[in-house]
Amino acid sequence: MEYCKKCILPSTRPGLVFDTEGVCSSCRNFESRENIDWKAREQNFDTVVAQAKKSSKGYDCVIPVSGGKDSTWQTVKCLQKGLNPLCVTWRTPARTKIGQENLDNLISLGVDHIDYQINPRVEKKFILESYIKFGSTAIPMHMALFNIPLNIATRYEIPLVVWGENSAFEYGGIGEEKTGFQLNSKWLKEYGVTHGTTAEDWVSGLLSRTELTPYFGPCPDHLEEMGIKAVFLGYYYPWDVAHTFEVAKNNGFKKADYARSGIYEFADIDDDYISIHHFLKWYKFGFTRAFDNLSLEIRNGRLTREEAILRVKLVGESVPHDDINKFCKYIEITTSRFFEIAETFRNRDIWYKEGITWKLKNFLVEDWEWR
């Protein structure tokens, strides 16, 4: 494994590219912000807002929300711009108490809201199938949270969908010239964390087309014909988790007592199962959620690389045992079966076995305590 010379992301992270100086594309993307005219970008967003208001038949925009810090910030920003939003949530089957409180707070800011819950019997089957096939518990989640807001936008003829960060740019390292600033079918297929699949690929004897209805998105041509735009706010404003948290906090958002996944007490706190999605990166790519979080802190000048490496050691693997137990009970498998499936996705190119202990080759932390 190779690690970025500036942050601590490894070369195994999907979409990441290293240049000849050993610096990852996510760090280079961050550096490129210095050359962006952010005032002009905000003016561009004002133009998008004006067009949406002009085309509106009631609601000016759809905002996909969970109630988290980012979606709270998105909602605050859209309200400040005078938009009349319809907020839409894919309801996780494992919403936490603090997640519900923060979602209620977001709605109280002054928006209409749809809490879209999928048939739990269908969701269970789909999650288990995606875990067995790809070692991912989050394919149904991503497919739902991306497609449901687009479907609602077409159903109610809402001209604009406002997403938050462009994860392909912030984490995967793909430049704006490739991802652009609009979420479309091409972006979803490449960067939507669905292993390149669509709902059509999951139709089978186990999951019927009718059962998978919520996971199908609108036809891209139909979106274009209707003039619906789906944009990332992170294109128009410099994205920083500390800033979005501060804005959210000032508008009633509450953080957790401890970091559920990674290092932030204010992220990944609305869903008991999201920690499992992040944990499985350890098997497949040899890094944890903390690597992502700490790399952001390095880029924003709040930590040095050396301090980040020490934090990695302190955080450790962060196996979310409680969440895994809840998840296994939900999809009706044993925890031993859960780890059996996870083991089939262990990346033998980066892992090796010493006795009965698995270890990573050339790991970032030299004196890591392997378990």
Side-chain angles (χ1 to χ4, degrees):
M1 293 171 70
E2 181 184 357
Y3 296 90
C4 176
K5 301 298 183 186
K6 290 203 167 199
C7 71
I8 58 172
L9 288 183
S11 53
T12 51
R13 200 192 198 292
L16 209 63
V17 178
F18 284 60
D19 64 19
T20 55
E21 296 178 19
V23 178
C24 78
S25 42
S26 284
C27 283
R28 293 305 189 201
N29 284 346
F30 187 85
E31 291 170 359
S32 72
R33 291 181 176 194
E34 296 179 3
N35 301 319
I36 293 173
D37 185 341
W38 291 107
K39 185 172 289 188
R41 287 276 180 103
E42 181 168 9
Q43 290 172 349
N44 289 342
F45 184 61
D46 289 339
T47 300
V48 171
V49 167
Q51 291 172 343
K53 289 179 179 179
K54 185 177 180 181
S55 305
S56 174
K57 296 183 179 180
Y59 294 114
D60 302 321
C61 67
V62 168
I63 310 175
V65 302
S66 65
K69 63 172 177 51
D70 293 342
S71 55
T72 300
W73 179 79
Q74 288 163 237
T75 302
V76 168
K77 181 61 67 176
C78 287
L79 289 173
Q80 287 175 344
K81 292 295 182 180
L83 288 162
N84 178 32
L86 172 61
C87 290
V88 178
T89 302
W90 161 73
R91 185 182 179 91
T92 165
R95 183 176 289 165
T96 61
K97 181 175 181 291
I98 195 170
Q100 184 64 59
E101 290 173 354
N102 281 326
L103 181 59
D104 291 342
N105 174 72
L106 183 152
I107 297 166
S108 75
L109 296 177
V111 296
D112 289 351
H113 177 251
I114 294 175
D115 204 7
Y116 196 118
Q117 182 168 2
I118 294 173
N119 180 340
R121 295 180 180 179
V122 173
E123 204 157 36
K124 283 182 187 181
K125 289 191 291 183
F126 194 0
I127 292 173
L128 181 56
E129 279 296 289
S130 69
Y131 184 40
I132 292 171
K133 188 171 183 179
F134 290 110
S136 172
T137 59
I139 289 174
M141 174 187 76
H142 288 109
M143 210 171 278
L145 65 85
F146 282 126
N147 286 318
I148 288 170
L150 293 175
N151 284 328
I152 289 174
T154 57
R155 173 66 179 81
Y156 291 100
E157 300 182 57
I158 304 172
L160 181 64
V161 182
V162 182
W163 299 93
E165 66 178 353
N166 183 341
S167 56
F169 181 76
E170 302 292 341
Y171 293 102
I174 306 301
E176 284 183 334
E177 70 279 1
K178 292 185 179 179
T179 63
F181 57 89
Q182 194 162 341
L183 185 147
N184 52 31
S185 58
K186 182 178 182 294
W187 190 97
L188 286 174
K189 191 170 182 64
E190 293 188 27
Y191 314 116
V193 201
T194 63
H195 283 266
T197 66
T198 65
E200 185 69 41
D201 299 310
W202 294 93
V203 176
S204 66
L206 183 68
L207 291 162
S208 70
R209 180 181 295 275
T210 300
E211 287 178 315
L212 290 168
T213 295
Y215 301 101
F216 280 89
C219 171
D221 292 339
H222 187 45
L223 283 173
E224 192 170 339
E225 288 170 8
M226 294 184 70
I228 296 173
K229 287 186 177 180
V231 301
F232 296 104
L233 269 185
Y235 174 82
Y236 302 100
Y237 299 91
W239 197 262
D240 180 3
V241 293
H243 173 69
T244 57
F245 167 61
E246 196 62 29
V247 172
K249 183 179 70 172
N250 291 339
N251 285 274
F253 173 85
K254 298 177 184 176
K255 67 177 182 177
D257 295 329
Y258 62 96
R260 295 288 303 271
S261 179
I263 67 165
Y264 298 132
E265 297 92 347
F266 50 72
D268 300 327
I269 61 175
D270 57 330
D271 180 356
D272 278 332
Y273 299 159
I274 192 64
S275 61
I276 300 169
H277 164 64
H278 294 308
F279 167 64
L280 290 167
K281 297 172 185 175
W282 184 238
Y283 284 82
K284 295 189 281 187
F285 310 119
F287 74 99
T288 68
R289 183 61 161 168
F291 283 67
D292 280 328
N293 295 164
L294 290 165
S295 293
L296 289 178
E297 292 303 294
I298 293 169
R299 291 184 204 118
N300 281 286
R302 294 186 285 264
L303 277 181
T304 66
R305 190 173 187 273
E306 291 70 28
E307 289 169 334
I309 292 173
L310 288 175
R311 288 287 296 275
V312 168
K313 184 179 178 182
L314 288 172
V315 172
E317 295 177 29
S318 301
V319 183
H321 290 291
D322 289 344
D323 292 349
I324 289 171
N325 290 335
K326 292 175 188 175
F327 176 76
C328 290
K329 186 176 180 181
Y330 171 67
I331 60 171
E332 300 175 11
I333 63 172
T334 63
T335 53
S336 60
R337 177 59 179 151
F338 172 87
F339 284 104
E340 283 174 8
I341 296 170
E343 197 60 50
T344 65
F345 291 93
R346 189 184 292 275
N347 184 348
R348 264 54 171 191
D349 289 335
I350 60 174
W351 288 93
Y352 70 99
K353 209 166 190 180
E354 190 173 279
I356 60 171
T357 305
W358 283 103
K359 296 184 177 182
L360 282 164
K361 303 172 186 176
N362 306 315
F363 190 55
L364 180 71
V365 183
E366 293 182 5
D367 54 346
W368 185 264
E369 293 184 19
W370 300 102
R371 301 177 187 277

